[in-house]
Coordinates of all heavy atoms in Angstrom, one line a residue:
K1 N 83.7 178.5 124.1 CA 82.9 177.4 124.7 C 81.4 177.8 124.6 O 80.6 177.1 125.2 CB 83.2 177.1 126.1 CG 84.6 176.5 126.3 CD 84.8 176.1 127.7 CE 86.2 175.5 127.9 NZ 86.4 175.2 129.2
G2 N 81.0 178.8 123.9 CA 79.6 179.2 123.8 C 79.2 180.0 125.0 O 80.0 180.9 125.4
A3 N 78.0 179.8 125.5 CA 77.5 180.7 126.6 C 77.9 180.2 128.0 O 77.9 178.9 128.2 CB 76.0 180.7 126.5
I4 N 78.3 181.0 128.9 CA 78.5 180.6 130.3 C 77.2 180.5 130.9 O 76.3 181.3 130.7 CB 79.3 181.8 131.0 CG1 80.6 181.9 130.3 CG2 79.5 181.5 132.5 CD1 81.5 183.1 130.9
E5 N 77.0 179.5 131.8 CA 75.8 179.3 132.5 C 75.4 180.4 133.5 O 76.2 180.7 134.2 CB 75.8 177.9 133.2 CG 75.8 176.8 132.2 CD 75.6 175.4 133.0 OE1 75.0 175.4 134.1 OE2 76.1 174.4 132.5
A6 N 74.2 180.9 133.3 CA 73.7 181.9 134.3 C 72.9 181.2 135.4 O 72.8 181.8 136.4 CB 72.8 182.9 133.6
S7 N 72.5 179.9 135.2 CA 71.8 179.2 136.2 C 71.8 177.8 135.9 O 72.2 177.4 134.8 CB 70.3 179.7 136.3 OG 69.6 179.3 135.1
P8 N 71.5 176.9 136.8 CA 71.5 175.5 136.6 C 70.5 175.1 135.4 O 70.8 174.1 134.8 CB 71.0 174.9 137.9 CG 71.3 175.9 138.9 CD 71.2 177.2 138.3
E9 N 69.5 175.9 135.1 CA 68.6 175.6 134.1 C 69.1 176.1 132.6 O 68.4 175.8 131.6 CB 67.2 176.2 134.3 CG 66.5 175.6 135.5 CD 67.0 176.2 136.8 OE1 67.5 177.3 136.9 OE2 66.9 175.4 137.8
A10 N 70.3 176.8 132.6 CA 70.8 177.4 131.4 C 71.1 176.3 130.4 O 71.5 175.1 130.9 CB 71.9 178.3 131.7
P11 N 71.0 176.5 129.2 CA 71.4 175.5 128.1 C 72.8 175.1 128.3 O 73.7 175.9 128.6 CB 71.2 176.3 126.8 CG 70.3 177.4 127.1 CD 70.6 177.8 128.5
T12 N 73.1 173.8 128.0 CA 74.5 173.4 128.0 C 74.7 172.5 126.9 O 73.7 172.0 126.2 CB 74.8 172.5 129.3 OG1 74.0 171.4 129.3 CG2 74.5 173.3 130.6
A13 N 76.0 172.2 126.5 CA 76.3 171.4 125.4 C 75.7 169.9 125.6 O 75.4 169.2 124.7 CB 77.8 171.3 125.1
S14 N 75.6 169.5 126.9 CA 75.2 168.1 127.2 C 73.7 167.9 127.1 O 73.2 166.8 127.1 CB 75.7 167.7 128.6 OG 75.1 168.5 129.5
K15 N 72.9 169.1 127.2 CA 71.5 169.0 127.1 C 71.0 169.4 125.7 O 71.3 170.5 125.3 CB 70.8 170.0 128.0 CG 70.9 169.7 129.5 CD 70.1 170.7 130.2 CE 70.5 170.8 131.7 NZ 69.8 171.9 132.3
P16 N 70.4 168.5 125.0 CA 69.9 168.9 123.7 C 68.8 170.0 123.8 O 68.1 170.0 124.8 CB 69.2 167.6 123.1 CG 69.8 166.5 123.9 CD 70.1 167.1 125.2
Q17 N 68.7 170.8 122.8 CA 67.8 172.0 122.9 C 66.4 171.5 123.2 O 65.7 172.1 123.9 CB 67.8 172.7 121.6 CG 67.1 174.0 121.5 CD 67.7 175.1 122.4 OE1 68.9 175.0 122.7 NE2 67.0 176.1 122.8
A18 N 65.9 170.4 122.7 CA 64.5 169.9 122.9 C 64.2 169.6 124.3 O 63.0 169.6 124.7 CB 64.2 168.8 122.0
E19 N 65.2 169.2 125.1 CA 65.0 168.8 126.5 C 65.0 169.9 127.5 O 64.6 169.8 128.6 CB 66.1 167.8 126.9 CG 66.1 166.5 126.2 CD 67.1 165.6 126.6 OE1 67.7 165.8 127.8 OE2 67.5 164.7 125.9
Q20 N 65.4 171.1 127.0 CA 65.6 172.3 127.9 C 64.2 172.8 128.3 O 63.4 173.1 127.5 CB 66.4 173.3 127.4 CG 67.8 172.9 127.1 CD 68.6 173.8 126.3 OE1 68.2 175.0 126.1 NE2 69.8 173.4 125.7
K21 N 63.9 173.0 129.6 CA 62.7 173.6 130.1 C 62.8 175.1 130.1 O 63.8 175.7 130.5 CB 62.4 173.1 131.4 CG 62.0 171.6 131.5 CD 61.6 171.3 132.9 CE 61.1 169.8 133.0 NZ 60.7 169.5 134.3
V22 N 61.7 175.8 129.7 CA 61.6 177.2 129.9 C 60.6 177.5 130.9 O 59.4 177.2 130.7 CB 61.3 177.9 128.5 CG1 61.2 179.4 128.7 CG2 62.4 177.6 127.5
V23 N 61.0 178.1 132.0 CA 60.0 178.4 133.1 C 59.9 179.9 133.2 O 60.8 180.6 133.5 CB 60.5 177.8 134.4 CG1 59.5 178.2 135.5 CG2 60.7 176.4 134.3
M24 N 58.7 180.4 132.9 CA 58.4 181.8 133.0 C 58.1 182.2 134.4 O 58.5 183.2 134.9 CB 57.2 182.2 132.1 CG 57.5 182.0 130.6 SD 58.9 183.0 130.0 CE 58.2 184.6 130.1

């Protein structure tokens, strides 16, 4: 299934890559 989520902000199959936020 790919990567297991480490947090609610982690990438998922339902979120396209362009919509994912990266918060430093």
Side-chain angles (χ1 to χ4, degrees):
K1 295 186 181 179
I4 298 174
E5 290 188 27
S7 70
E9 293 82 26
T12 64
S14 63
K15 291 185 198 173
Q17 189 70 19
E19 291 180 25
Q20 297 170 15
K21 290 184 178 182
V22 177
V23 178
M24 296 299 291

